[in-house]
Amino acid sequence: MKVPVKVDGRELTLSNLDKVLYPEYGFTKAEVIDYYSRVAPVLLPHLQGRPLTVKRYPNGVDGAFFFEKNAPQHTPSWVRRVTLPVPGSTKNRETIEFAIVEDLATLAYYANLAALELHVPQWRVSKDGEALPPDLLVLDLDPGAPATIVDCCRVAVHIREVLAEDGLTATPKTSGNKGMQLYAPWDNRVEPSDYARSLAQRLEKEHPRQIVSVMTKKLRPGKVFIDWSQNNPAKTTVAPYSLRARPRPTVSTPLLWEEVEACESPDELVFTAADVLARVDDHGDLFAQA
């Protein structure tokens, strides 16, 4: 069934609204669209100007998915697009036409495509569509079992201290999966990947039982991998407030530092779409300073 709607004056056709995209939770496409529409006031500022990569799940989280960087051929004319070079593309493409999500109508359009996950780089484009220098530093904390997000929280506190020494303010969020990320506004004092790698290596030396700074899997059990490589301009990280394709509709959720410091169980930092909407009502945008 197709439903024509107007979103901020833009015409859209929504389809298959009763399709269940999260079978274990009974969460439908209509509820995905509703979540993204309601969280838009705090989500859109973090997508503004950032080329979008999505993970689409047309048959729900238990079905096949695909990454999509190119704006689909049927993308409405009113969706902002930028054409950017992609050196080293795995599909031998010299350029990609990315969408930029800057309004509620574009967000609803992608939600209707079952683009459950929204991923963006740590840089923006100018009004003319030129890539700008990175404005964010990100440190992605990935726990190697049996480590959990509880261990990530301990490591996050160490990272916060090092960043503060360098005049940087860290903002934490869950990944919506098993780990978390820390972000800080970046002033391009050096290449962000170089800075992040040095920080990870320093903390690995200071806390060798807790932290690893290389991706080698055999070194990671029971430790937290600080993935500094997410600062590579070609890479993206899940956006704050994005849904994740887990059995439940969990969300990459901005956190209070008090929650990070007090965390004793992984369940404490699992938030669904409904939880996040309630948190936004209570706290506003906890990611606003990032």
Side-chain angles (χ1 to χ4, degrees):
M1 181 178 177
K2 295 186 176 182
V3 181
V5 296
K6 272 196 172 183
V7 181
D8 291 344
R10 306 292 195 186
E11 293 185 356
L12 274 176
T13 300
L14 306 181
S15 60
N16 300 319
L17 293 176
D18 58 351
K19 177 178 277 190
V20 176
L21 298 181
Y22 291 83
E24 187 175 306
Y25 211 72
F27 202 73
T28 65
K29 188 200 273 194
E31 289 172 295
V32 168
I33 296 170
D34 178 68
Y35 166 72
Y36 274 126
S37 298
R38 293 170 63 189
V39 85
V42 292
L43 167 59
L44 287 173
H46 305 296
L47 302 179
Q48 186 92 20
R50 300 190 190 277
L52 180 71
T53 298
V54 295
K55 283 178 77 174
R56 290 176 57 182
Y57 290 79
N59 294 306
V61 297
D62 292 341
F65 71 89
F66 58 97
F67 281 93
E68 190 167 59
K69 293 178 179 286
N70 259 318
Q73 288 186 344
H74 51 71
T75 300
S77 60
W78 41 261
V79 172
R80 185 186 177 194
R81 280 161 282 192
V82 295
T83 301
L84 296 168
V86 282
S89 168
T90 57
K91 297 186 178 180
N92 296 316
R93 295 179 294 200
E94 293 185 4
T95 62
I96 286 179
E97 187 179 54
F98 289 93
I100 309 281
V101 178
E102 299 191 319
D103 53 45
L104 178 57
T106 304
L107 188 59
Y109 166 74
Y110 270 99
N112 185 60
L113 295 181
L116 299 182
E117 296 193 6
L118 312 176
H119 296 247
V120 289
Q122 314 318 316
W123 48 273
R124 300 179 192 261
V125 295
S126 69
K127 290 181 180 179
D128 296 328
E130 298 285 329
L132 298 171
D135 61 339
L136 287 175
L137 175 79
V138 63
L139 293 151
D140 189 14
L141 308 185
D142 186 12
T148 67
I149 197 170
V150 177
D151 302 279
C152 292
C153 288
R154 307 290 176 262
V155 172
V157 172
H158 295 316
I159 294 173
R160 177 181 62 175
E161 293 168 356
V162 174
L163 292 175
E165 290 172 10
D166 291 335
L168 299 170
T169 301
T171 300
K173 72 176 177 71
T174 71
S175 68
N177 194 342
K178 60 182 180 178
M180 65 186 296
Q181 290 107 17
L182 295 186
Y183 287 73
W186 187 244
D187 55 11
N188 287 289
R189 58 187 74 180
V190 295
E191 284 294 323
S193 285
D194 294 342
Y195 176 88
R197 180 175 57 221
S198 296
L199 182 152
Q201 291 170 342
R202 169 185 163 179
L203 287 175
E204 182 181 34
K205 288 180 181 178
E206 293 177 1
H207 307 279
R209 294 184 178 181
Q210 286 180 277
I211 294 170
V212 62
S213 67
V214 293
M215 200 173 288
T216 310
K217 287 198 172 181
K218 67 180 181 181
L219 301 177
R220 291 166 61 179
K223 297 183 181 181
V224 173
F225 170 43
I226 302 178
D227 187 355
W228 48 268
S229 73
Q230 290 297 113
N231 294 283
N232 181 324
K235 289 197 171 186
T236 61
T237 307
V238 66
Y241 304 108
S242 172
L243 287 164
R244 300 307 304 269
R246 305 290 293 166
R248 289 189 285 171
T250 56
V251 172
S252 182
T253 307
L255 299 170
L256 295 163
W257 273 110
E258 291 88 339
E259 294 173 309
V260 175
E261 293 161 352
C263 181
E264 295 184 353
S265 166
D267 291 342
E268 295 173 23
L269 297 183
V270 176
F271 302 101
T272 64
D275 297 329
V276 167
L277 291 171
R279 286 171 66 85
V280 170
D281 285 343
D282 290 342
H283 302 297
D285 181 12
L286 290 176
F287 218 67
Q289 67 174 342

